[in-house]
Protein backbone atom coordinates (compact mmCIF):
# COMPACT_ATOMS: atom_id res chain seq x y z
CA UNK A 1 0.00 0.00 0.00
CA UNK A 2 1.24 3.48 -0.85
CA UNK A 3 2.14 5.65 2.14
CA UNK A 4 0.27 8.93 2.61
CA UNK A 5 1.54 12.06 4.28
CA UNK A 6 -1.12 14.06 6.09
CA UNK A 7 -1.16 17.18 8.26
CA UNK A 8 -2.12 16.56 11.88
CA UNK A 9 -5.65 17.59 12.74
CA UNK A 10 -7.57 17.80 16.03
CA UNK A 11 -8.70 14.16 15.65
CA UNK A 12 -5.04 13.12 15.99
CA UNK A 13 -4.64 14.78 19.40
CA UNK A 14 -5.10 11.65 21.55
CA UNK A 15 -2.93 9.43 19.36
CA UNK A 16 -0.13 11.99 19.22
CA UNK A 17 -0.32 12.30 23.01
CA UNK A 18 -0.05 8.51 23.41
CA UNK A 19 2.93 8.39 21.06
CA UNK A 20 4.67 11.12 23.04
CA UNK A 21 4.15 9.23 26.28
CA UNK A 22 5.50 6.02 24.72
CA UNK A 23 8.45 7.58 22.90
CA UNK A 24 9.45 10.51 25.12
CA UNK A 25 8.18 9.39 28.54
CA UNK A 26 5.36 11.94 28.96
CA UNK A 27 2.94 14.04 26.92
CA UNK A 28 5.36 16.96 27.15
CA UNK A 29 8.99 17.51 26.30
CA UNK A 30 11.40 19.95 27.89
CA UNK A 31 13.50 21.79 25.36
CA UNK A 32 15.69 24.84 26.02
CA UNK A 33 14.01 25.02 29.43
CA UNK A 34 10.47 25.24 27.99
CA UNK A 35 7.74 22.67 28.62
CA UNK A 36 6.13 21.91 25.26
CA UNK A 37 3.10 19.70 24.56
CA UNK A 38 3.70 18.36 21.04
CA UNK A 39 0.10 17.15 20.60
CA UNK A 40 -0.96 20.81 20.60
CA UNK A 41 1.41 21.73 17.75
CA UNK A 42 1.11 21.58 14.00
CA UNK A 43 2.74 18.63 12.33
CA UNK A 44 2.47 15.78 9.87
CA UNK A 45 2.00 12.03 10.00
CA UNK A 46 2.78 9.30 7.52
CA UNK A 47 0.16 6.58 7.24
CA UNK A 48 0.68 3.19 5.69
CA UNK A 49 -2.91 2.08 5.36
CA UNK A 50 -4.32 2.56 8.84
CA UNK A 51 -0.94 2.41 10.55
CA UNK A 52 0.89 5.55 11.60
CA UNK A 53 4.53 5.00 10.67
CA UNK A 54 6.00 8.46 11.27
CA UNK A 55 5.23 11.71 13.05
CA UNK A 56 6.74 15.19 13.17
CA UNK A 57 5.64 18.23 15.17
CA UNK A 58 6.90 21.78 14.90
CA UNK A 59 6.48 25.30 16.21
CA UNK A 60 6.88 28.47 14.18
CA UNK A 61 8.27 31.44 16.10
CA UNK A 62 8.86 34.48 13.95
CA UNK A 63 11.10 33.47 11.07
CA UNK A 64 12.25 30.27 12.74
CA UNK A 65 10.58 26.88 12.70
CA UNK A 66 11.50 24.50 15.49
CA UNK A 67 11.19 20.78 14.88
CA UNK A 68 9.99 19.72 18.30
CA UNK A 69 9.64 15.95 17.76
CA UNK A 70 10.40 13.55 14.92
CA UNK A 71 9.70 9.83 15.16
CA UNK A 72 9.94 7.16 12.51
CA UNK A 73 8.50 3.76 13.32
CA UNK A 74 10.01 2.05 10.27
CA UNK A 75 13.54 3.21 10.01
CA UNK A 76 15.61 3.43 6.82
CA UNK A 77 12.62 3.63 4.47
CA UNK A 78 12.80 7.39 3.93
CA UNK A 79 10.06 8.26 6.43
CA UNK A 80 12.22 10.56 8.56
CA UNK A 81 13.54 12.46 5.54
CA UNK A 82 10.07 12.84 4.01
CA UNK A 83 8.71 14.30 7.24
CA UNK A 84 11.67 16.64 7.60
CA UNK A 85 11.31 17.92 4.04
CA UNK A 86 7.57 18.38 4.54
CA UNK A 87 8.13 20.56 7.59
CA UNK A 88 10.82 22.54 5.77
CA UNK A 89 8.29 23.24 2.99
CA UNK A 90 5.68 24.19 5.58
CA UNK A 91 8.23 26.48 7.28
CA UNK A 92 8.94 28.23 3.98
CA UNK A 93 5.20 28.75 3.47
CA UNK A 94 5.17 30.45 6.89
CA UNK A 95 7.96 32.85 5.76
CA UNK A 96 10.56 31.14 7.93
CA UNK A 97 14.22 31.48 7.02
CA UNK A 98 15.57 28.77 9.32
CA UNK A 99 14.60 25.42 10.75
CA UNK A 100 16.11 24.39 14.06
CA UNK A 101 15.86 21.62 16.59
CA UNK A 102 17.36 20.57 19.87
CA UNK A 103 18.61 17.06 20.41
CA UNK A 104 20.80 15.56 23.09
CA UNK A 105 24.41 14.44 23.16
CA UNK A 106 23.54 10.74 23.31
CA UNK A 107 21.43 10.77 20.13
CA UNK A 108 24.24 9.99 17.70
CA UNK A 109 21.77 8.66 15.12
CA UNK A 110 19.83 11.93 15.03
CA UNK A 111 23.02 14.02 15.03
CA UNK A 112 24.16 12.17 11.90
CA UNK A 113 20.73 12.18 10.29
CA UNK A 114 20.28 15.95 10.58
CA UNK A 115 23.85 16.90 9.66
CA UNK A 116 23.61 14.79 6.51
CA UNK A 117 20.56 16.89 5.63
CA UNK A 118 22.06 20.36 5.90
CA UNK A 119 21.73 21.04 9.63
CA UNK A 120 24.77 22.33 11.51
CA UNK A 121 25.53 22.48 15.21
CA UNK A 122 24.85 26.02 16.37
CA UNK A 123 24.96 25.65 20.14
CA UNK A 124 25.87 23.15 22.84
CA UNK A 125 24.47 23.56 26.33
CA UNK A 126 26.46 21.33 28.67
CA UNK A 127 24.35 19.95 31.51
CA UNK A 128 21.04 21.28 30.13
CA UNK A 129 19.40 17.85 30.36
CA UNK A 130 20.44 17.56 33.99
CA UNK A 131 18.42 20.75 34.56
CA UNK A 132 15.41 19.33 32.64
CA UNK A 133 15.62 16.15 34.71
CA UNK A 134 14.92 18.17 37.86
CA UNK A 135 11.46 18.87 36.36
CA UNK A 136 10.98 15.63 34.37
CA UNK A 137 12.52 12.93 36.51
CA UNK A 138 11.65 10.21 33.98
CA UNK A 139 14.46 11.34 31.67
CA UNK A 140 16.94 8.46 31.86
CA UNK A 141 20.46 9.13 33.12
CA UNK A 142 22.06 6.86 30.54
CA UNK A 143 20.92 5.98 27.02
CA UNK A 144 20.61 2.36 25.84
CA UNK A 145 23.83 3.01 23.87
CA UNK A 146 25.69 3.62 27.15
CA UNK A 147 26.10 7.39 26.73
CA UNK A 148 25.12 9.62 29.68
CA UNK A 149 22.28 11.95 28.63
CA UNK A 150 23.32 15.43 29.75
CA UNK A 151 23.77 18.09 27.06
CA UNK A 152 21.44 19.87 24.64
CA UNK A 153 22.69 20.37 21.10
CA UNK A 154 20.96 22.89 18.83
CA UNK A 155 21.07 22.27 15.09
CA UNK A 156 20.04 24.84 12.50
CA UNK A 157 19.44 24.82 8.75
CA UNK A 158 19.06 27.87 6.55
CA UNK A 159 16.01 27.31 4.37
CA UNK A 160 15.27 30.66 2.78
C1 LIG B 1 16.16 9.94 13.33
C2 LIG B 1 14.96 9.22 12.69
C3 LIG B 1 13.75 10.14 12.71
C4 LIG B 1 15.29 8.89 11.24
O1 LIG B 1 14.13 8.32 10.63
P1 LIG B 1 14.20 7.28 9.40
O2 LIG B 1 12.82 7.03 8.95
O3 LIG B 1 15.04 6.13 9.71
O4 LIG B 1 14.91 8.20 8.34
P2 LIG B 1 15.20 7.89 6.81
O5 LIG B 1 14.73 6.52 6.48
O6 LIG B 1 14.69 9.02 6.00
O7 LIG B 1 16.79 7.97 6.78
C5 LIG B 1 17.57 7.12 7.60
C6 LIG B 1 18.64 6.45 6.77
O8 LIG B 1 18.05 5.42 6.01
C7 LIG B 1 18.47 5.53 4.66
N1 LIG B 1 17.40 5.03 3.78
C8 LIG B 1 16.27 5.66 3.43
N2 LIG B 1 15.53 4.87 2.63
C9 LIG B 1 16.22 3.72 2.48
C10 LIG B 1 15.98 2.52 1.78
N3 LIG B 1 14.87 2.35 1.05
N4 LIG B 1 16.91 1.53 1.86
C11 LIG B 1 18.04 1.70 2.58
N5 LIG B 1 18.32 2.83 3.29
C12 LIG B 1 17.42 3.82 3.22
C13 LIG B 1 18.71 7.00 4.47
O9 LIG B 1 19.59 7.25 3.40
C14 LIG B 1 19.28 7.40 5.81
O10 LIG B 1 20.67 7.22 5.91
P3 LIG B 1 21.65 8.51 5.84
O11 LIG B 1 21.27 9.40 6.97
O12 LIG B 1 23.00 7.90 5.95
O13 LIG B 1 21.35 9.16 4.52
C15 LIG B 1 14.65 7.88 13.42
O14 LIG B 1 15.84 7.15 13.56
C16 LIG B 1 13.96 8.00 14.75
O15 LIG B 1 12.72 8.07 14.85
N6 LIG B 1 14.75 8.01 15.86
C17 LIG B 1 14.20 8.01 17.22
C18 LIG B 1 13.66 9.37 17.59
C19 LIG B 1 14.66 10.47 17.39
O16 LIG B 1 15.80 10.35 17.78
N7 LIG B 1 14.22 11.58 16.74
C20 LIG B 1 15.10 12.69 16.40
C21 LIG B 1 15.35 13.58 17.54
S1 LIG B 1 14.13 14.87 17.58
Amino acid sequence: MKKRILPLDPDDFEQVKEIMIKEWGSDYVIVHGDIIHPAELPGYKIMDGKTLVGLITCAVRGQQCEIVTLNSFREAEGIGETLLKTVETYALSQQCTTCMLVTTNNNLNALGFYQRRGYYIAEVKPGAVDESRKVKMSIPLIDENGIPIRDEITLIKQIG
Side-chain angles (χ1 to χ4, degrees), residues 63-126:
Q63 289 186 301
Q64 190 164 69
C65 177
E66 176 168 4
I67 293 145
V68 176
T69 65
L70 171 59
N71 287 95
S72 166
F73 303 111
R74 285 198 209 144
E75 293 186 300
E77 289 184 16
I79 289 168
E81 181 167 306
T82 301
L83 287 167
L84 191 59
K85 281 187 176 161
T86 303
V87 159
E88 288 171 359
T89 303
Y90 166 73
L92 274 173
S93 79
Q94 302 297 302
Q95 280 74 52
C96 292
T97 54
T98 54
C99 278
M100 59 79 71
L101 63 109
V102 176
T103 187
T104 49
N105 63 293
N106 56 298
N107 200 340
L108 304 183
N109 180 40
L111 285 167
F113 174 81
Y114 287 116
Q115 289 183 86
R116 282 190 287 273
R117 285 159 183 82
Y119 288 74
Y120 63 89
I121 293 176
E123 193 179 9
V124 178
K125 283 192 186 153

Side-chain angles (χ1 to χ4, degrees), residues 9-157:
D9 68 35
D11 288 346
D12 295 311
F13 183 84
E14 285 305 323
Q15 189 181 14
V16 174
K17 219 166 121 175
E18 278 169 29
I19 291 170
M20 292 306 135
I21 293 168
K22 189 161 173 283
E23 299 298 320
W24 303 108
S26 67
D27 66 354
Y28 65 92
V29 292
I30 305 182
V31 207
H32 39 68
D34 295 330
I35 295 180
I36 304 177
H37 292 82
E40 294 171 0
L41 297 176
Y44 293 87
K45 61 182 177 180
I46 293 186
M47 302 298 294
D48 187 358
K50 290 188 172 170
T51 308
L52 190 155
V53 295
L55 176 69
I56 192 164
T57 62
C58 62
V60 170
R61 293 186 203 92
Q63 289 186 301
Q64 190 164 69
C65 177
E66 176 168 4
I67 293 145
V68 176
T69 65
L70 171 59
N71 287 95
S72 166
F73 303 111
R74 285 198 209 144
E75 293 186 300
E77 289 184 16
I79 289 168
E81 181 167 306
T82 301
L83 287 167
L84 191 59
K85 281 187 176 161
T86 303
V87 159
E88 288 171 359
T89 303
Y90 166 73
L92 274 173
S93 79
Q94 302 297 302
Q95 280 74 52
C96 292
T97 54
T98 54
C99 278
M100 59 79 71
L101 63 109
V102 176
T103 187
T104 49
N105 63 293
N106 56 298
N107 200 340
L108 304 183
N109 180 40
L111 285 167
F113 174 81
Y114 287 116
Q115 289 183 86
R116 282 190 287 273
R117 285 159 183 82
Y119 288 74
Y120 63 89
I121 293 176
E123 193 179 9
V124 178
K125 283 192 186 153
V129 185
D130 296 330
E131 291 305 308
S132 302
R133 199 179 283 109
K134 289 176 186 168
V135 178
K136 184 173 169 180
M137 282 173 287
S138 61
I139 299 172
L141 283 165
I142 299 180
D143 192 357
E144 285 169 5
N145 62 14
I147 301 176
I149 306 171
R150 60 180 300 269
D151 314 314
E152 281 189 351
I153 299 175
T154 302
L155 292 119
I156 291 184
K157 179 179 179 176

